[in-house]
Amino acid sequence: MPTPPPNDDFTDLTFITGTNPLLGYTFFASSEFGQPNIAAANGYQSVWWNWIAPAAGMYRLNITATNTSGRFGAAIYTGSLLTNLLEIASGLATNINPGISQLLLPFNAAAGTSYSIGVDENGGGAFFSLSISAAAVERPALVSTVSLNNKARGGTDPYTLVWIDELG
């Protein structure tokens, strides 16, 4: 009988430390009674990971999968039991080439909080790399509007000057 991944069951989740990508696979993985439908992937070939936030802030789960032939997704949860997980973020991967999918999933983390990450695929199995990195926070452009009264100089319409600072 084929061997399932070592983190096939929630109780055997693999711990993520550092920012180096980790390799995983969903071949021969199974589902467990009471587990959530991870990112609506409907695959039930799930594997589990755990990560503890080193600091508060925005982070991004980065997954690149190969050999994907179906829906590939991931979700981030809090909670210590499979049956009481609270979803923080979830998403389905986007096909970037035939058989290659990518998921970039941003989420807000609290310092010292333990997060469980479920990865699921419904096409027979996939290989993937997984990492978590601090997410760059995109600032909206600063827009300043100044209205000048042209009527004081004999004109009929006011001028509006708009300054946009896109560089931050």
Side-chain angles (χ1 to χ4, degrees):
M1 177 159 194
T3 304
N7 55 342
D8 182 27
D9 292 336
F10 183 79
T11 55
D12 296 323
L13 42 79
T14 298
F15 289 90
I16 301 169
T17 58
T19 58
N20 292 331
L22 301 172
L23 301 178
Y25 61 96
T26 59
F27 294 100
F28 311 115
S30 61
S31 65
E32 297 175 80
F33 179 77
Q35 87 171 37
N37 182 3
I38 299 170
N42 296 321
Y44 300 108
Q45 289 181 285
S46 59
V47 290
W48 294 93
W49 305 80
N50 181 268
W51 176 75
I52 297 174
M58 288 299 298
Y59 289 88
R60 184 175 65 202
L61 174 65
N62 310 291
I63 299 178
T64 301
T66 60
N67 200 55
T68 57
S69 58
R71 293 167 65 97
F72 183 90
I76 301 166
Y77 304 94
T78 57
S80 58
L81 299 172
L82 185 65
T83 54
N84 76 346
L85 296 176
L86 176 64
E87 184 178 290
I88 302 301
S90 68
L92 291 170
T94 302
N95 291 327
I96 56 175
N97 280 312
I100 300 176
S101 298
Q102 184 175 48
L103 175 62
L104 304 174
L105 184 60
F107 65 101
N108 193 17
T113 300
S114 178
Y115 294 91
S116 298
I117 301 165
V119 176
D120 196 10
E121 202 265 346
N122 76 351
F127 294 106
F128 61 90
S129 67
L130 175 148
S131 66
I132 296 177
S133 60
V137 178
E138 293 185 23
R139 281 187 20 193
L142 174 63
V143 177
S144 297
T145 303
V146 178
S147 295
L148 302 173
N149 188 348
N150 188 32
K151 291 181 182 179
R153 296 170 39 157
T156 57
D157 297 321
Y159 291 108
T160 301
L161 172 67
V162 177
W163 172 61
I164 302 173
D165 175 13
E166 295 186 33
L167 301 177

